[in-house]
């Protein structure tokens, strides 16, 4: 006999599949990545980051920039080379045997510590190049990490879709069994088949998304031909942060701010060097020459060897490097304004990033501590109802003793 108060079998199965699907979906959000197949290799985030550091051409560019800055620093502190030459005066032949011929050595003595100031300027440029290299490394490592998380999420979504597709196939089989005993109609069976096909399409879409995210990750890692591998890691490894402290840390420790501050120091060193240019360098020149002038007539001896020396400085009367000093002052002002510009930009961008992070962290905690336990509880309740319904169905459908 039929019991009108008993829920329909297909309704119970549908509730069971829906609750179980939600339980699997919510439970998989903060869970582990799918277990790799024995024949497929696995790769970690650290290995991908190391691969990117080795293959990314920007790191070699940064190394070349550092080497160039080191070369400029070394060159700026070198002493000027001396000048060696020939000198001749009143050169004449014949019976007079006159003239003075010889050689000279000339050297400029740099005064005022200008070479040391040159080294300070290019030392700041070297520090800027090193900081830019650190910034580039941080940018590449961060890009790899972001692509890794997206690929890991796609991998886990594919596993979830495959499990849901399997549940849909089981629901189709159950619907056919119920239809065979007269407990389900043809539209119900067709509806379950449509849902199973939709689940299969979702699996296909998840596979394509995984391929797309993996190719993006391989490109960021510097190896576009890297074959598909299983990613190791956990999506729930998100440390808690203080929003205000994190914003201050981003602003104060950002490589962009450090580069701008080094630009100020370089401008200050250039200003000091421009002011010191007024100090003239000492010009020293000396040498030996042979004087062929005769001391007495007609067969007297010549004067012979004699030395000479010149010492001088360039007096800064008209050119006191005024233009370069004004330029250096303007560059220093621009560098200071650059620091003031970079910090507000970071303060403007950082809160949105921190807010997204804290919201995502709150969502993860909500799923883990509230939604998943409730979904699991609902799943257990539906499973108990289905078991009871199956027991009643077997009891009512079994032949009774006469």
């Amino acid at each position: 006999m039929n019991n009108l108060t008993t829920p329909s079998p297909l309704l119970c199965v549908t509730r069971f599949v829906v609750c179980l699907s939600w339980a699997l979906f919510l439970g998989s959000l903060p869970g582990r990545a799918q277990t790799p197949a024995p024949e497929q290799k696995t790769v970690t985030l650290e290995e991908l980051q190391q691969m990117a550091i080795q293959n990314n051409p920007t790191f070699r560019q940064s190394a070349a920039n550092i080497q160039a800055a080191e070369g400029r620093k070394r060159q700026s502190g070198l002493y000027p080379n001396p000048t060696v030459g020939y000198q001749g005066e009143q050169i004449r032949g014949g019976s007079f045997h006159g003239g003075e011929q010889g050689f000279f050595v000339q050297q400029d003595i740099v005064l005022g510590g200008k070479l040391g100031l040159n080294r300070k300027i290019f030392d700041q440029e070297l520090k800027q190049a090193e900081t830019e290299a650190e910034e580039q490394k941080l940018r590449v490592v961060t890009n790899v990490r972001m692509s890794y998380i997206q690929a890991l999420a796609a991998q886990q979504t594919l596993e979830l879709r495959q499990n849901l597709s399997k549940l849909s196939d089981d629901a189709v089989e159950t619907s056919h069994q119920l239809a065979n005993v007269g407990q389900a109609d043809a539209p119900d069976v067709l509806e379950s088949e449509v849902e199973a096909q939709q689940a299969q399409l979702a699996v296909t879409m998840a596979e394509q998304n995984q391929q797309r995210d993996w190719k993006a990750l391989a490109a960021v890692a510097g190896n576009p031909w890297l074959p598909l591998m299983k990613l190791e890691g956990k999506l729930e490894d998100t440390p808690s942060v203080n929003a205000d402290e994190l914003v201050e840390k981003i602003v104060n420790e950002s490589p962009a701010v450090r580069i701008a501050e080094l630009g100020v120091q370089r401008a200050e060193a250039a200003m000091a060097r421009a002011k010191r240019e007024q100090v003239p360098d000492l010009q020293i020149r000396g040498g030996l020459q042979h004087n062929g002038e005769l001391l007495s007539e007609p067969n007297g001896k010549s004067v012979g060897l004699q030395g000479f020396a010149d010492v001088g400085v360039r007096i800064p009367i008209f050119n006191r490097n005024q233009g370069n000093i004004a330029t250096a002052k303007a560059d220093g002002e621009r560098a200071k304004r650059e620091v003031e510009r970079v910090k507000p930009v970071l303060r403007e961008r950082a809160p949105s990033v921190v807010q997204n992070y804290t919201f995502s962290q709150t969502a993860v905690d909500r799923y883990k501590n509230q939604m998943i336990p409730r979904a699991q509880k609902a799943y257990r309740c539906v499973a108990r109802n289905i078991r009871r319904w199956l027991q009643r169905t077997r009891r009512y459908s079994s032949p009774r003793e006469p």
Side-chain angles (χ1 to χ4, degrees), residues 59 62 129-139 255 258:
F59 291 113
S62 299
E130 293 173 346
T131 305
E132 289 173 355
E134 295 176 359
E135 181 185 29
Q136 180 61 23
K137 180 179 180 180
L138 180 62
R139 183 181 295 112
R258 178 59 178 162

Side-chain angles (χ1 to χ4, degrees), residues 43-45 47-57 59 140-141 143-145 147-148 213-226:
V43 64
T44 62
L45 173 61
E47 293 173 348
L48 291 170
Q49 290 175 339
Q50 187 63 30
M51 187 184 305
I53 292 174
Q54 294 175 356
N55 297 332
N56 197 297
F59 291 113
V140 171
V141 170
N143 290 338
V144 172
R145 184 177 183 85
S147 299
Y148 164 83
D213 293 337
W214 174 260
K215 289 180 180 179
L217 175 59
V220 173
N223 187 1
W225 302 276
L226 188 67

Side-chain angles (χ1 to χ4, degrees), residues 236-293:
E236 73 270 19
D237 290 340
T238 55
S240 59
V241 296
N242 184 289
D244 296 334
E245 294 180 358
L246 183 58
V247 171
E248 290 299 324
K249 184 176 181 180
I250 292 175
V251 173
N252 296 327
E253 299 182 7
S254 172
V257 176
R258 178 59 178 162
I259 292 173
E261 292 174 347
L262 288 173
V264 174
Q265 297 178 11
R266 186 200 181 284
E268 292 175 350
M271 169 66 76
R273 175 63 180 84
K275 291 181 178 180
R276 198 66 59 86
E277 186 67 22
Q278 303 179 52
V279 179
D281 296 337
L282 187 64
Q283 301 172 349
I284 300 178
R285 184 173 179 271
L288 291 175
Q289 61 183 8
H290 181 272
N291 190 345
E293 183 180 358

Side-chain angles (χ1 to χ4, degrees), residues 166-372:
K166 185 177 182 302
L167 288 175
S168 298
D169 293 338
D170 294 340
V172 171
E173 183 179 357
T174 304
S175 299
H176 282 287
Q177 293 176 358
L178 293 173
N180 292 334
V181 297
Q183 298 295 325
D185 298 330
D188 298 331
V189 176
L190 293 175
E191 183 179 359
S192 64
E193 292 176 348
V194 170
E195 292 178 353
Q197 292 177 359
Q198 291 176 346
Q200 293 175 359
L201 289 176
V203 171
T204 303
M205 183 177 295
E207 291 175 347
Q208 294 176 354
N209 292 337
Q210 185 191 30
Q211 290 288 341
R212 179 198 61 198
D213 293 337
W214 174 260
K215 289 180 180 179
L217 175 59
V220 173
N223 187 1
W225 302 276
L226 188 67
L228 180 63
M229 300 181 185
K230 294 296 181 181
L231 299 175
E232 295 182 357
K234 297 180 180 180
L235 291 178
E236 73 270 19
D237 290 340
T238 55
S240 59
V241 296
N242 184 289
D244 296 334
E245 294 180 358
L246 183 58
V247 171
E248 290 299 324
K249 184 176 181 180
I250 292 175
V251 173
N252 296 327
E253 299 182 7
S254 172
V257 176
R258 178 59 178 162
I259 292 173
E261 292 174 347
L262 288 173
V264 174
Q265 297 178 11
R266 186 200 181 284
E268 292 175 350
M271 169 66 76
R273 175 63 180 84
K275 291 181 178 180
R276 198 66 59 86
E277 186 67 22
Q278 303 179 52
V279 179
D281 296 337
L282 187 64
Q283 301 172 349
I284 300 178
R285 184 173 179 271
L288 291 175
Q289 61 183 8
H290 181 272
N291 190 345
E293 183 180 358
L294 298 178
L295 294 176
S296 61
E297 294 291 344
N299 296 321
K301 294 182 177 181
S302 61
V303 176
L305 291 176
Q306 61 183 15
F308 64 92
D310 297 326
V311 178
V313 294
R314 182 177 287 109
I315 302 176
I317 298 177
F318 306 108
N319 181 4
R320 296 186 298 276
N321 206 36
Q322 302 96 319
N324 290 333
I325 292 175
T327 301
K329 183 178 180 180
D331 290 340
E333 187 68 18
R334 179 190 59 80
K336 292 178 181 178
R337 300 292 85 80
E338 178 66 13
V339 175
E340 297 177 357
R341 183 193 70 83
V342 171
K343 286 187 175 181
V345 170
L346 292 176
R347 289 187 182 278
E348 178 184 358
R349 297 177 180 176
S352 61
V353 176
V354 175
Q355 182 180 5
N356 292 336
Y357 180 86
T358 53
F359 174 78
S360 300
Q361 188 178 43
T362 302
V364 169
D365 295 337
R366 186 73 58 85
Y367 276 116
K368 183 185 298 184
N369 299 324
Q370 298 184 20
M371 300 177 68
I372 292 177

Side-chain angles (χ1 to χ4, degrees), residues 91-105:
I91 301 174
R92 57 184 299 182
S95 59
F96 293 96
H97 302 287
E100 300 173 354
Q101 302 184 63
F103 71 93
F104 69 90
V105 177

Side-chain angles (χ1 to χ4, degrees), residues 15-25 164 167 375 378-379 382:
R15 291 178 178 175
F16 172 75
V17 172
V18 171
C19 291
L20 181 58
S21 300
W22 273 103
L24 290 174
F25 175 74
L164 294 179
L167 288 175
Y379 161 70
V382 173

